[in-house]
Amino acid sequence: MDFSLNEEQRMLQQSVAKFLGDTYSHETRRKRVREGSDLDGDIWRQFAELGWLALPFAEEDGGLGGTLVESMILHEEFGKALVLEPWLAAVTLSGGLLRLGDATQKKRWLEPLMEGRLQAAVALEEYGTDLSLTDTSVKARPDGSGYRLDGGRDLVLNAGNADILIVPARCEDTGELSLFVVEAGQPGVTVQAHRLVNGQSAGRLLLEDAPVSTESRLAREATAPLAAVMNEALLAMGAQALGAMSALLEQTLEYTKNRKQFGTPLSGFQALQHRMVDMFIACEQYRSLLLAATLKTNEGHEDAARAVHALKARIGQSGRHLAHEAIQLHGAMGMTDEMPAGHYLKHLVALDLLFGNSDQHMAELVADETITI
Amino acid sequence: MDFSLNEEQRMLQQSVAKFLGDTYSHETRRKRVREGSDLDGDIWRQFAELGWLALPFAEEDGGLGGTLVESMILHEEFGKALVLEPWLAAVTLSGGLLRLGDATQKKRWLEPLMEGRLQAAVALEEYGTDLSLTDTSVKARPDGSGYRLDGGRDLVLNAGNADILIVPARCEDTGELSLFVVEAGQPGVTVQAHRLVNGQSAGRLLLEDAPVSTESRLAREATAPLAAVMNEALLAMGAQALGAMSALLEQTLEYTKNRKQFGTPLSGFQALQHRMVDMFIACEQYRSLLLAATLKTNEGHEDAARAVHALKARIGQSGRHLAHEAIQLHGAMGMTDEMPAGHYLKHLVALDLLFGNSDQHMAELVADETITI
Amino acid sequence: MDLGIDDEVIAFREEVRSFLRENLTPEIQEAGRRTTSVFAPPGQAMEWQRILHRKGWAAPHWPEEYGGTGWSVTKRAIFAEELVRAEAPPLIPMGLMMCGPCLIGYGTPEQKAQYLPRILSGEDFWCQGYSEPGAGSDLASLKTFAESDGDDYIVNGTKIWTTYAHHANRMFALVRTRRDGKPQQGISFLLIDMDSPGITVEPIVGLDEVPEQCQVFFDNVRVPKANRVGEENDGWSVAKYLLMFERGGSEYAPALRVQLERLKKLAAERERNAQDQQARAFFRQKIADCEIEVLALEFTENRIKSELESGGNPGALTSMTKILGTELQQRIAQLTVEGLGIESLVWQPQAIVPASEEQPLAPEHSLVAMASYLNSRACSIYGGSNEIQRGIIARAVLGL
Amino acid sequence: MDLGIDDEVIAFREEVRSFLRENLTPEIQEAGRRTTSVFAPPGQAMEWQRILHRKGWAAPHWPEEYGGTGWSVTKRAIFAEELVRAEAPPLIPMGLMMCGPCLIGYGTPEQKAQYLPRILSGEDFWCQGYSEPGAGSDLASLKTFAESDGDDYIVNGTKIWTTYAHHANRMFALVRTRRDGKPQQGISFLLIDMDSPGITVEPIVGLDEVPEQCQVFFDNVRVPKANRVGEENDGWSVAKYLLMFERGGSEYAPALRVQLERLKKLAAERERNAQDQQARAFFRQKIADCEIEVLALEFTENRIKSELESGGNPGALTSMTKILGTELQQRIAQLTVEGLGIESLVWQPQAIVPASEEQPLAPEHSLVAMASYLNSRACSIYGGSNEIQRGIIARAVLGL
């Protein structure tokens, strides 16, 4: 059992922290959020130049062969800095699925993605239903050698920026759940983009008789790979949440040590001290959960998926706890756009609601109690 | 809207409080608990002489026609003093069902019960199943003009003291759920009595071919009256819980004001102060809930049963909260038999588990959400 | 002991409903639906106040001689509940709930005659100048100073968290009028014309990106001494009187009850598409838990009112309803977001400004839900933070 | 970063299991099942210790030179988990976990030679004399005094919450040896023979009606100075060293994990008869919630051990595992009672005393569950209350 970072991992952590320290001041970020700029081309190019975009991919695909531990390091820092760029949609989800393609497809999409030249999105959610990786209203109707896609999906992360969108669709001929790649702007594809509460963006995808060729089919039966990629996404979100929580705790400690009331620093009040201790405990327990879920998944343990559900459930529970307490302890200042606390809350709420909220992941745990994590 | 007690109610409250103040010192009670004496004949006789045993019954039945408000007053004091006598089983439940009888039956059982000469019990629960007023393993097999009873019930409150036991049984001929009265010691009736964690007693009732005549049948179809009497019992338990909770709060305030640590009274520590405030809030909210459930039931509002479920759910939740905090704030002293705190916990736990625990009453609320209380 | 629900009460509810059907316009109703904090959109809220005022219903809690309605406690609760149910925007409280009562208690006859009718009618729009940077819940450390200068004061300093200062034409403020002595004793209560030279207002952007709070700067602002309410250096008594008065006025349960009913309706609609029975059970449990607390709070508030009506003093119990009411508001706001799910992540604060022309990309209630949730975090901070309220209960009720 | 689960570890688990199959007698196992607090029934626990000692496994956490096993952190966790799973009673900690480490750190060679082997073998039964009436978590205010008298001390005073003092033949105690100076500096650490004249032991009845704690009175009790551990007036350092040592020793997760598995099994059995799907969902949610916390605690404890093994100092993080471990123990104990329902109300404390002849009127696990639940309330009080632990974290970790 070893929980220490190796030399390369420590360097990665330092370089991510340094880069974000330089590019992601709270003021710059606030300005970008107001302007609706969730993707800064320069930053994305630097992601590519620093090699980070290639990090999670296998060496035979031209990647750097990073493990889930490297991903955890990166996303914890992303969460601290509240990075707006659509990494989750473009790299973790889209990149994760593009790995399924054949050599031609990888060359066409994965390579430019790793080089920062291609933006991508995956259409996963629909309003008014629980997240399901197998149910979809998108149908693929056979049409000659290819298919025609019909249906719609909501809240497709990064849809407005994406050059390509990956769409799971139920094939009417075989009943398989296949993955198709459609291009933004191709016939039959409409995207209605909008901001999200956390400053990132998403969009509604409408498919009306959209033609896709068999070369655009990434996978014939995608249920298992979708679940695997979703687990990686949940781990990345989990690491972002830890970054946000630990920043909230740190900033609250800092604020209460400096802010005086009735002649004493707020941090001197015992009732507030004990609440900050509870924030600390929640944050440390959450950190342990992230380690558990990441390492179990990385090493392929049989209870890995269960640990990921546990982690995702706690994003909502511990995340809100930390953010609510941080705002409360900041007093009225905590309610201003000027202080970071509210921005962390917004991101944590988004991380909670996306891809199944706390209740839904708790329900997954309850559904199968034969395993104990 | 009026929440004040009238003159008679105030007098009742004072006389109950005075009587219990005289007879129920913590030391006397501890001694009785150790000796397994849950029913003191003298005290029960005085209950009768003071007229309390007749209080809940209609004047035409020889009772005093008290309402649920008088019952609430009485049981709140019972809860404060942790009265051991089996009022709930004998008066609320048994008495409540004996009201259903004809004139002869009332003369035979209800009259001596009001006079303190008869102890009774109702067989309601079975291990390993949720409480159900309609499901029972006890069968009534027609036998000439009467029936023969077979089956068993568990944790029959007051079973060891009872002269008669009221048994809901499913009639094999009509399918009705009838109420039969059996006598302790009659052929086919066995009671195995035991103590309960709160110092009261109960027993397992075994019926083997026990003969009952039609004169022993209190009601042919008892589903509705059972539910009504159960609501009254839940309200009585709810009032006892309030008495226990308010005593816990009061004693904790007292203790922390007097006990010093690090040179300061415990009550001077802000973190503990805020926790006692939360105890106070829980106790006052619970008091409001008791008023709501009692008055709504008393006045026959359509949402009355829902309010009773809410009350019962909170016995477990708020009751444990108060008791756990009280013990914690008493420190090691709170874990001793010598201090009352633990005895209140034991009674509150019993009140929670009997007749459906918090989860089960929450489930009743969730099952029908068309009404809002 | 009884609940006292009789025919008169039932008839009154019908009267209120029928008034609302006839007078609450769709535009005002829209503003009600789009209210995401304690404070409704100012234009529509003031218009609604004028309509209520014509009926004599703008300030039910004021004494009848000044324009109150003389309703029983039960009727006032019904009125409050029906307004929320009809989606009427809440009235802006600074004049009706705060400044008005202070004037009723401490104003000179001239001040009452000049200001009370304009508060009722909505001609004046008031804001409250209490907090200062570095003095939130701790009012005794105020620094804004009013220097005596003949018949006037010259005010210098700054106020913060001043709701709608950018819409107001008047401010009631606590300012320091003496430099020595106990901190609480040198404070006076002034009425300040927001058009006075030397006043600058800077809106503060909140989590919902809509400015609601402001910082107000005073640079040698001249205020006539005739605009002082109460004695010089005795402003603390005026402010405390308001707290007393508020005790009968602010009730959380009626609005919470309506919000809860809406949440239950939302949950039922959602469930038709929800595959997961377990997740559904968890969600409904949280709603049921709120329902129990709202019922309890309703009766706690009833107990307080019943105590007040019989001449008793519920004292610091109102600190308890503040804690409970605000925490429940936060829980219900959060559950509403949870119930709506990812839909509520769509962020278009400008699309729900009343009469906005921006095309909403998600249903109105989803856009409103997230802003309401974010803003709900403020209610345990403002108006005496819940920590302050716990401290009051510890001292005043529990004697700790 | 890795979990390091390899073949050696798997083989070790098999070795422990096979030892347990062969050596854990039904009588000792029964005592394990009937352990309702931190402290197992003393007779059977000491017998079990003797069996483990014969194998060399009585004190895995001691340094090897004194009889420890030299196992890795992972192996120690597996050992702990398998013991609980096999229903072995926990060993009485006062000698092995408390007094022993103090002697290892501060004892003279003579003290080590005299006492350590007898601690390991179980020949001596130790109790801990720290708390006094009026000085629970606040040890600096101890009053029991040891007056110097030639080569001896004469001890007067009283100790309270002394677990199993009525079974012990030795006590390690903190006593005051100086009346002036800073309160913490005048304390010494003494080993006291419980047979000494002048000692009286009074058992205290707990909520489970079984005496476990005692009050011990000292009336001119003579203790040789040779029985002092560490310097005179420096007992505080010895006690603190123990706290340091304990950090590596006490782990909550292994036992919690087993208790949780049993609770899940119980829930599954119960559900076969439970009509109500909603209530079932609520109950299982609470279990799942504990499961998440236990997993997190396991990894928090792993992080601490990994830090310790690489020479780091996890410091006050152990205050955090104390809080979490005890609170989880309480939650699981409560859920077990809830899961058993009314069955657990049957009260027969004497029927679950090991080898009792009283006929149980409910299944053994029901009788045990209620006593365990009641006793679980103590674990957030003893060993430095959880409030004290929060204070330590506030100061030492958060710098508040």
Side-chain angles (χ1 to χ4, degrees), chain D residues 51-67:
Chain D
I51 294 170
L52 285 171
H53 177 53
R54 279 199 294 275
K55 175 80 176 173
W57 286 359
H61 57 296
W62 284 18
E64 276 185 89
E65 53 176 313
Y66 298 111

Side-chain angles (χ1 to χ4, degrees), chain A residues 1-5 257 277-278 284-285 287-289 291-292 299 301 306 314 366 369 371-373, chain D residues 1-3 5 257 264 284 289 291-293 295-297 299-300 302-303 320 324 390 398-399:
Chain A
M1 198 165 44
D2 175 16
F3 293 120
S4 57
L5 300 183
K257 283 176 191 175
V277 168
D278 287 338
E284 289 303 317
Q285 281 283 84
R287 184 188 304 277
S288 293
L289 216 46
L291 281 172
E299 299 175 24
H301 288 259
R306 194 165 175 82
R314 282 290 191 268
V366 164
E369 294 215 313
I371 300 175
T372 297
I373 324 165
Chain D
M1 230 185 231
D2 63 72
L3 295 176
I5 296 173
R257 168 183 276 280
K264 284 167 86 168
R284 287 170 57 135
D289 202 68
E291 185 177 339
I292 297 176
E293 284 304 301
L295 171 66
L297 177 59
F299 273 72
T300 300
N302 285 344
R303 284 164 54 201
M320 174 174 140
L324 290 164
R390 283 193 165 77
L398 306 184

